[in-house]
Coordinates of all heavy atoms in Angstrom, one line a residue:
L1654 N 114.9 48.6 105.0 CA 115.7 47.9 106.0 C 114.9 47.6 107.3 O 114.9 46.6 107.9 CB 117.0 48.7 106.3 CG 117.9 48.1 107.4 CD1 118.4 46.7 107.0 CD2 119.1 49.0 107.7
Q1655 N 114.2 48.7 107.8 CA 113.3 48.5 108.9 C 112.3 47.4 108.7 O 112.0 46.6 109.6 CB 112.7 49.8 109.3 CG 113.6 50.9 109.8 CD 113.0 52.2 110.1 OE1 111.8 52.4 109.8 NE2 113.7 53.2 110.5
A1656 N 111.7 47.4 107.5 CA 110.6 46.4 107.2 C 111.3 45.0 107.3 O 110.7 44.1 107.8 CB 110.0 46.7 105.9
A1657 N 112.5 44.9 106.7 CA 113.2 43.6 106.7 C 113.5 43.1 108.1 O 113.3 42.0 108.5 CB 114.4 43.6 105.9
Q1658 N 113.9 44.1 109.0 CA 114.3 43.8 110.4 C 113.0 43.3 111.1 O 113.0 42.4 111.9 CB 114.9 45.0 111.0 CG 116.3 45.3 110.5 CD 116.9 46.5 111.1 OE1 116.1 47.4 111.6 NE2 118.2 46.7 111.1
Q1659 N 111.9 44.0 110.9 CA 110.6 43.6 111.5 C 110.2 42.2 111.1 O 109.7 41.4 111.9 CB 109.6 44.6 111.2 CG 109.8 46.0 111.8 CD 108.7 47.0 111.4 OE1 107.9 46.7 110.6 NE2 108.8 48.2 111.9
E1660 N 110.4 41.9 109.8 CA 110.0 40.6 109.3 C 110.9 39.5 109.9 O 110.5 38.4 110.3 CB 110.1 40.6 107.8 CG 109.8 39.2 107.1 CD 108.3 38.9 107.3 OE1 107.5 39.7 107.7 OE2 107.9 37.7 107.0
I1661 N 112.2 39.8 110.0 CA 113.1 38.9 110.6 C 112.8 38.6 112.1 O 112.8 37.4 112.6 CB 114.6 39.4 110.5 CG1 115.1 39.4 109.1 CG2 115.5 38.6 111.4 CD1 116.4 40.0 108.9
R1662 N 112.4 39.7 112.8 CA 112.0 39.5 114.2 C 110.7 38.6 114.3 O 110.6 37.8 115.1 CB 111.8 40.8 114.9 CG 113.1 41.6 115.2 CD 112.8 42.7 116.2 NE 112.1 43.8 115.5 CZ 112.6 44.8 114.9 NH1 114.0 44.9 114.8 NH2 111.9 45.8 114.3
R1663 N 109.8 38.9 113.4 CA 108.5 38.1 113.4 C 108.8 36.7 113.1 O 108.2 35.8 113.8 CB 107.6 38.7 112.3 CG 106.2 38.1 112.4 CD 105.4 38.5 111.2 NE 105.9 38.0 109.9 CZ 105.7 36.7 109.5 NH1 105.0 35.9 110.3 NH2 106.2 36.3 108.4
L1664 N 109.6 36.4 112.1 CA 110.0 35.0 111.8 C 110.7 34.3 112.9 O 110.5 33.1 113.1 CB 110.8 35.0 110.5 CG 110.1 35.4 109.2 CD1 111.0 35.4 108.0 CD2 108.9 34.5 108.9
A1665 N 111.6 35.1 113.6 CA 112.3 34.5 114.7 C 111.3 34.1 115.8 O 111.5 33.0 116.5 CB 113.4 35.4 115.2
V1666 N 110.4 35.0 116.1 CA 109.4 34.6 117.1 C 108.5 33.4 116.7 O 108.3 32.5 117.5 CB 108.5 35.9 117.4 CG1 107.3 35.5 118.3 CG2 109.3 37.0 118.1
A1667 N 108.1 33.4 115.4 CA 107.4 32.3 115.0 C 108.1 31.0 115.0 O 107.6 29.9 115.4 CB 106.9 32.5 113.5
E1668 N 109.4 31.0 114.7 CA 110.3 29.8 114.8 C 110.4 29.3 116.2 O 110.4 28.1 116.5 CB 111.6 30.1 114.1 CG 112.6 29.0 114.3 CD 112.1 27.7 113.6 OE1 111.3 27.7 112.7 OE2 112.6 26.6 114.0
E1669 N 110.6 30.3 117.1 CA 110.8 29.9 118.5 C 109.5 29.3 119.1 O 109.5 28.3 119.8 CB 111.2 31.2 119.3 CG 111.4 30.9 120.8 CD 112.6 29.9 121.0 OE1 113.4 29.8 120.1 OE2 112.6 29.3 122.1
R1670 N 108.3 29.9 118.7 CA 107.1 29.3 119.1 C 106.9 27.9 118.5 O 106.5 26.9 119.3 CB 105.9 30.1 118.6 CG 105.8 31.5 119.4 CD 104.7 32.3 118.8 NE 104.5 33.6 119.6 CZ 103.8 34.6 119.2 NH1 103.1 34.5 118.0 NH2 103.7 35.7 119.9
A1671 N 107.3 27.7 117.3 CA 107.2 26.3 116.7 C 108.1 25.4 117.4 O 107.7 24.2 117.6 CB 107.5 26.4 115.2
R1672 N 109.3 25.8 117.7 CA 110.3 24.9 118.4 C 109.7 24.5 119.7 O 109.8 23.4 120.1 CB 111.6 25.6 118.5 CG 112.7 24.8 119.1 CD 113.9 25.6 119.6 NE 113.5 26.5 120.7 CZ 113.4 26.1 122.0 NH1 113.7 24.8 122.3 NH2 113.1 26.9 122.9
T1673 N 109.2 25.5 120.5 CA 108.7 25.2 121.8 C 107.5 24.2 121.7 O 107.3 23.3 122.5 CB 108.2 26.5 122.5 OG1 109.4 27.4 122.6 CG2 107.7 26.2 123.9
A1674 N 106.6 24.4 120.7 CA 105.5 23.6 120.5 C 106.0 22.1 120.2 O 105.4 21.2 120.7 CB 104.6 24.1 119.4
R1675 N 107.0 22.0 119.3 CA 107.5 20.7 119.0 C 108.1 20.0 120.3 O 107.9 18.8 120.5 CB 108.6 20.8 117.9 CG 108.1 21.1 116.6 CD 109.1 20.9 115.5 NE 110.3 21.7 115.7 CZ 110.4 22.9 115.2 NH1 109.5 23.4 114.4 NH2 111.5 23.6 115.4
D1676 N 108.8 20.8 121.1 CA 109.4 20.2 122.3 C 108.3 19.7 123.2 O 108.4 18.7 123.8 CB 110.3 21.2 123.0 CG 111.7 21.4 122.3 OD1 111.9 20.7 121.3 OD2 112.5 22.2 122.7
L1677 N 107.3 20.6 123.4 CA 106.2 20.2 124.3 C 105.5 18.9 123.8 O 105.1 18.1 124.6 CB 105.2 21.3 124.5 CG 105.7 22.5 125.3 CD1 104.7 23.7 125.2 CD2 106.0 22.1 126.7
H1678 N 105.3 18.9 122.5 CA 104.7 17.7 121.9 C 105.5 16.5 122.1 O 105.0 15.4 122.5 CB 104.5 17.9 120.4 CG 104.1 16.7 119.6 ND1 105.0 15.7 119.2 CD2 102.8 16.2 119.3 CE1 104.3 14.8 118.6 NE2 103.0 15.0 118.7
D1679 N 106.8 16.6 121.9 CA 107.7 15.4 122.1 C 107.7 15.0 123.6 O 107.6 13.8 123.9 CB 109.1 15.7 121.7 CG 109.1 15.9 120.2 OD1 108.2 15.6 119.5 OD2 110.1 16.5 119.7
I1680 N 107.8 15.9 124.5 CA 107.8 15.6 125.9 C 106.5 15.0 126.4 O 106.5 13.9 127.0 CB 108.2 16.9 126.7 CG1 109.6 17.3 126.5 CG2 108.0 16.6 128.2 CD1 109.9 18.7 127.0
L1681 N 105.4 15.7 126.1 CA 104.1 15.2 126.6 C 103.7 14.0 125.9 O 103.0 13.1 126.5 CB 103.1 16.3 126.5 CG 103.3 17.6 127.4 CD1 102.3 18.6 127.1 CD2 103.4 17.2 128.9
G1682 N 104.0 13.9 124.6 CA 103.6 12.7 123.9 C 104.2 11.4 124.5 O 103.5 10.4 124.7

Side-chain angles (χ1 to χ4, degrees):
L1654 178 60
Q1655 290 176 359
Q1658 290 174 340
Q1659 291 175 358
E1660 181 65 12
I1661 290 172
R1662 286 193 292 267
R1663 187 190 66 80
L1664 292 176
V1666 171
E1668 175 60 24
E1669 182 62 20
R1670 288 175 177 172
R1672 184 194 67 81
T1673 302
R1675 289 193 299 267
D1676 285 357
L1677 289 175
H1678 169 273
D1679 295 344
I1680 291 170
L1681 294 179

